[in-house]
Amino acid sequence: MKSHLALLLIAALPLAAEIPVIPRPADVKEIETHLRISKDATVHVADPNNRELFLATLSEAAGFPLGITPADAPSTIQFLAENMLPDRFPIPEGEGYVIRIVAECANVHAATPAGHFNGLQTLAQLIRNAGRDAGGAIQLPGAYIVDAPRFAWRGFMLDESRHFTGEAGVKRLLDAMARYKLNRFHWHLTDSPGWRIEIKKYPKLTSIGGRGNESDTSPDAPPQFYTQQQIRDIVAYAKARNITIVPEIDMPGHADAAVRAYPEHDGGGFLQKGRTDKWPRFTFNPAKPETLAFLDDILTEVAALFPDAGVIHFGGDEVHFGWQKWPQLPEVQALMKKENLKDLAAVESWFNLRMAKTINGLGFATGGWDEIAARDLPADRTLVFWWRHDKPQVLRQALDKGFPVVLCPRRPCYLDFVQEDSHQAGRRWGGFNPLADTYHFPAGLQLSEDDEKQVRGLQACLWTETTVTQARRDFMTWPRLVALAEAAWTPAARKDFASFEKRLPAELAWLKAHGIAPYDPFAKSPEVTDQGAKPEYPDKPQ
Ligand code: TNX
């Protein structure tokens, strides 16, 4: 009897409604009505620069073309910059939005273009998942949605060096990121196997450094890289989708491709047994004035290509793996003497500070992997990417030093780790990265309220050593990136994995319809291992 009563009580509570949207919105109330969207429905878009994309997104969701509302005619769907809500209900700032769906229309209210864009994505999912009447018109359930992100940085990193994705693949990726309100694309453009960004002043970076990849090291492999024109185009494509692209030029380590093209900047590489021949030119010479000028020139061209990036990432990771030759370099010896540097860590630190000055001077904050937290970079102009999950003390150190931090620990954020215990290909490190772990992150970190204020956000990273083909890159990325998107957007109290699992199948279908084949965790689809696969050359060799 008692439990029966409890059930009745629960049923009577005005529970927030479940709606088929990922990431789950912060607050949803049902309204007992429906909006009918038929083939003659029209849309009013506030931002004239993005009208085509808004219309295309809604038309695709509807399954029939929607038109722009003619002047002075009523709209079925409206994006409004002014607050026209009943009682002037406050609209969230920044990337937030309010959607009100009533019998006459669906209105999206937001204070910024980013807010409108996020509202668009929610509405597109609602429309795609709504029922149709006998005549094919959409019956969109009434709702009042108030939504805003938990974290400002909702990112994905793609390693283009180990295996190259190319323009078409990147644009497809950006489309899918936009759907899940991910707003930072961290573009790892350089690393040991290949240099992937055209630099006008140093053409050999791509004509020589662009050749080869992790599974094809032959010197006459076709160069694969993005031209400056392609980069500008992709940056604009991302911007229209509320995605900021943050470029990474890795230094002073992971430099083989650049040094292969310009050997005068060689700082030596792996001298450890068994790895000597793999990356013999792992570092730039950290102290040679000509090398520093070379890197300044590169960063200057990069800054011009990514004017809105806010951050230029300069890597800074794993330097000690390849710095054994540094003590023999005359420039390093001279620098240590002149600057009174005690050891190689101090040389690394000096180099970081030197390059950060260039990046700051160009008007950007410096991004770097968590090794830089140990060094003395300015906390107000440096962003630390915490990646070593086995070193929570490094995260602590970064927070204590006042650095803003992006959380992307190998576990559970590296997508080159396997996602099921039964999977064979991919990394493990005392475990692996199942969908649920990525979803629940960062709950396990027990961040205090103050810590969370310093956390700019979350990021998943796809390192591509073991992903030779696009099919495997998709398999490893999706749907874990969808889970990361909800982890980064949805308030902690609204996260619910069981609910996520109910909403996910519709998105697996959407991804497939858009040329992306995700892993299907429900059907346990076969693993894409890339065993014996040949590297692909998606863009024509330039
Ligand atoms: C560590 S993450 C690296 C990458 C590798 C990755 C493989 C980081 C800063 N360095 O160079 O690709 O592990 O999981």
Side-chain angles (χ1 to χ4, degrees):
M1 178 65 197
K2 227 176 178 180
S3 67
H4 196 74
L5 192 67
L7 264 180
L8 274 178
L9 274 174
I10 287 169
L13 283 174
L15 278 183
E18 185 65 283
I19 55 164
V21 174
I22 295 179
R24 198 183 202 194
D27 190 35
V28 180
K29 304 261 182 304
E30 265 176 80
I31 300 178
E32 284 292 322
T33 187
H34 279 84
L35 168 66
R36 188 168 174 278
I37 303 178
S38 63
K39 297 206 163 127
D40 49 18
T42 61
V43 184
H44 169 77
V45 180
D47 177 4
N49 299 319
N50 228 356
R51 219 169 250 168
E52 294 306 315
L53 182 59
F54 273 59
L55 262 197
T57 304
L58 293 171
S59 299
E60 180 212 290
F64 48 80
L66 296 171
I68 288 283
T69 311
D72 297 331
S75 294
T76 322
I77 296 170
Q78 307 188 78
F79 291 83
L80 301 167
E82 327 82 270
N83 190 339
M84 287 161 62
L85 286 169
D87 304 327
R88 299 182 70 79
F89 184 93
I91 294 168
E93 289 168 10
E95 290 194 277
Y97 63 89
V98 174
I99 296 180
R100 186 165 170 266
I101 302 168
V102 290
E104 300 76 36
C105 60
N107 288 346
V108 180
H109 305 255
T112 66
H116 279 148
F117 189 81
N118 289 323
L120 167 74
Q121 297 308 326
T122 297
L123 197 55
Q125 291 188 28
L126 288 172
I127 290 173
R128 187 173 192 273
N129 292 319
R132 266 64 176 163
D133 68 16
I138 292 153
Q139 294 291 336
L140 194 63
Y144 197 90
I145 302 168
V146 182
D147 198 12
R150 176 178 179 188
F151 292 112
W153 184 293
R154 304 179 300 280
F156 176 61
M157 190 220 76
L158 178 65
D159 169 8
E160 293 273 14
S161 180
R162 277 59 177 261
H163 289 100
F164 184 69
T165 288
E167 184 176 342
V170 164
K171 285 185 172 169
R172 197 160 51 226
L173 173 69
L174 292 168
D175 285 339
M177 285 175 64
R179 181 167 179 88
Y180 305 114
K181 304 186 177 79
L182 293 161
N183 66 354
R184 290 291 186 288
F185 179 47
H186 171 174
W187 214 3
H188 187 78
L189 287 163
T190 73
D191 209 303
S192 294
W195 182 280
R196 308 298 183 203
I197 172 172
E198 178 186 27
I199 301 296
K200 298 274 190 200
K201 192 160 183 183
Y202 303 110
K204 286 190 285 183
L205 282 172
T206 42
S207 66
I208 296 175
R211 291 180 189 275
N213 53 48
E214 189 80 15
S215 45
D216 180 0
T217 53
S218 94
D220 42 41
Q224 288 187 291
F225 62 92
Y226 298 98
T227 64
Q228 294 208 345
Q229 190 47 50
Q230 280 180 305
I231 294 205
R232 278 195 206 92
D233 182 41
I234 291 169
V235 166
Y237 191 90
K239 190 176 180 178
R241 288 158 181 77
N242 191 37
I243 297 170
T244 303
I245 305 191
V246 172
E248 180 183 350
I249 306 295
D250 208 341
M251 63 183 76
H254 295 269
D256 297 72
V259 175
R260 198 160 74 226
Y262 294 94
E264 59 270 38
H265 302 306
D266 189 3
F270 284 16
L271 299 184
Q272 293 114 311
K273 228 176 132 210
R275 303 197 73 165
T276 318
D277 50 273
K278 189 152 192 212
W279 305 122
R281 296 163 295 209
F282 185 71
T283 65
F284 290 115
N285 185 324
K288 192 173 173 179
E290 292 81 357
T291 303
L292 301 169
F294 168 77
L295 294 172
D296 284 348
D297 289 343
I298 291 170
L299 290 169
T300 303
E301 287 197 30
V302 168
L305 290 169
F306 297 92
D308 304 324
V311 179
I312 292 179
H313 197 300
F314 77 160
D317 56 314
E318 301 184 319
V319 183
H320 65 281
F321 285 129
W323 68 13
Q324 289 81 350
K325 227 185 112 186
W326 285 8
Q328 296 153 38
L329 303 174
E331 296 86 358
V332 171
Q333 291 166 357
L335 179 79
M336 290 180 82
K337 216 176 195 171
K338 180 167 166 249
E339 301 285 335
N340 193 23
L341 305 174
K342 284 184 294 296
D343 53 19
L344 295 186
V347 173
E348 181 187 338
S349 195
W350 181 89
F351 172 88
N352 285 346
L353 217 52
R354 167 67 183 73
M355 296 322 298
K357 269 198 194 120
T358 298
I359 293 171
N360 294 158
L362 288 162
F364 294 77
T366 307
W369 298 107
D370 63 31
E371 285 88 339
I372 68 165
R375 315 287 183 234
D376 40 12
L377 291 163
D380 59 336
R381 274 164 297 164
T382 307
L383 183 60
V384 172
F385 291 66
W386 179 58
W387 67 279
R388 290 175 295 178
H389 70 283
D390 55 332
K391 293 194 185 329
Q393 70 276 19
V394 173
L395 172 59
R396 194 63 263 158
Q397 177 188 43
L399 293 170
D400 289 347
K401 283 186 164 186
F403 287 113
V405 175
V406 172
L407 302 174
C408 51
R410 274 176 298 224
R411 287 194 52 205
C413 294
Y414 274 21
L415 304 184
D416 59 337
F417 279 60
V418 297
Q419 51 200 320
E420 296 276 3
D421 206 10
S422 60
H423 289 178
Q424 304 294 318
R427 296 189 76 188
R428 288 168 193 262
W429 188 311
F432 55 97
N433 291 342
L435 184 66
D437 286 13
T438 308
Y439 183 86
H440 290 301
F441 187 70
L445 289 182
Q446 318 265 325
L447 297 169
S448 71
E449 235 174 81
D450 279 348
D451 290 343
E452 190 158 326
K453 278 186 211 137
Q454 259 172 272
V455 172
R456 288 280 302 281
L458 316 183
Q459 180 171 293
C461 301
L462 182 69
W463 300 98
T464 57
E465 288 95 331
T466 68
T467 62
V468 182
T469 64
Q470 187 60 47
R472 180 162 158 80
R473 287 191 288 279
D474 289 348
F475 177 84
M476 297 303 271
T477 304
W478 306 100
R480 284 184 292 190
L481 190 51
V482 183
L484 188 283
E486 183 149 316
W489 177 280
T490 303
R494 284 276 291 160
K495 281 171 68 181
D496 176 342
F497 189 64
S499 152
F500 177 74
E501 286 192 301
K502 282 193 206 117
R503 288 172 283 128
L504 186 55
E507 295 310 315
L508 296 179
W510 184 88
L511 288 164
K512 282 182 208 158
H514 288 77
I516 293 172
Y519 169 57
D520 184 336
F522 305 106
K524 304 255 180 266
S525 58
E527 184 183 10
V528 179
T529 64
D530 270 4
Q531 237 139 47
K534 295 254 182 316
E536 295 166 346
Y537 292 95
D539 287 351
K540 275 197 292 306
Q542 287 112 358

